């Protein structure tokens, strides 16, 4: 079985967001560890946070707490560990719906 590196998944996310006319900046938050890796900024003000993980990897406890904090404030947060899920995630962001399950 061939595993895909986290950096490759992240690159594929950035490229697909660009293909849809959006931006996908790396999100760095000094003083607040555990924030998601990327902001997905699509047309019409559609935005979400994406935590990128290698296949089979899950967010750390602190990251999960940050996801809960963000979701409780109305933000969409996704966990991406499979490049095949990128189109579905972006479709949901464009539609304004978010996954409640942090495993996605």
């Amino acid at each position: 079985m061939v595993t895909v590196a986290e950096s490759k998944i992240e690159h594929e996310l950035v490229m697909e967001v660009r293909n849809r006319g959006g931006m996908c900046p790396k999100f760095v938050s000094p003083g607040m560890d555990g924030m998601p890796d990327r902001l997905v900024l699509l047309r019409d003000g559609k935005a979400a946070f994406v935590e990128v993980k290698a296949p089979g990897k899950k967010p750390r406890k602190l990251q999960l707490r940050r996801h809960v904090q963000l979701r409780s404030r109305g933000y969409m947060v996704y966990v991406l560990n499979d490049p095949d899920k990128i189109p579905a995630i972006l479709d949901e962001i464009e539609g304004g719906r978010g996954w409640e399950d942090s495993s996605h």
Side-chain angles (χ1 to χ4, degrees), residues 17-87:
V17 169
R18 286 183 185 165
N19 287 341
R20 292 182 185 220
M23 300 174 0
C24 191
K26 183 86 169 161
F27 185 63
V28 180
S29 183
M32 186 168 274
D33 293 340
M35 292 297 285
D37 298 311
R38 292 279 175 169
L39 280 173
V40 172
L41 305 171
L42 298 172
R43 295 176 187 199
D44 299 322
K46 304 294 183 175
F49 292 91
V50 178
E51 179 66 44
V52 182
K53 292 290 182 189
K57 299 293 182 183
K58 296 189 177 194
R60 298 182 322 269
K61 286 182 183 181
L62 177 58
Q63 290 172 320
L64 291 173
R65 267 185 289 176
R66 294 289 183 232
H67 297 178
V68 168
Q69 290 174 329
L70 290 166
R71 286 187 182 115
S72 73
R73 288 162 174 80
Y75 295 100
M76 291 186 284
V77 181
Y78 296 87
V79 176
L80 173 63
N81 62 9
D82 178 351
D84 292 337
K85 291 185 178 180
I86 293 170

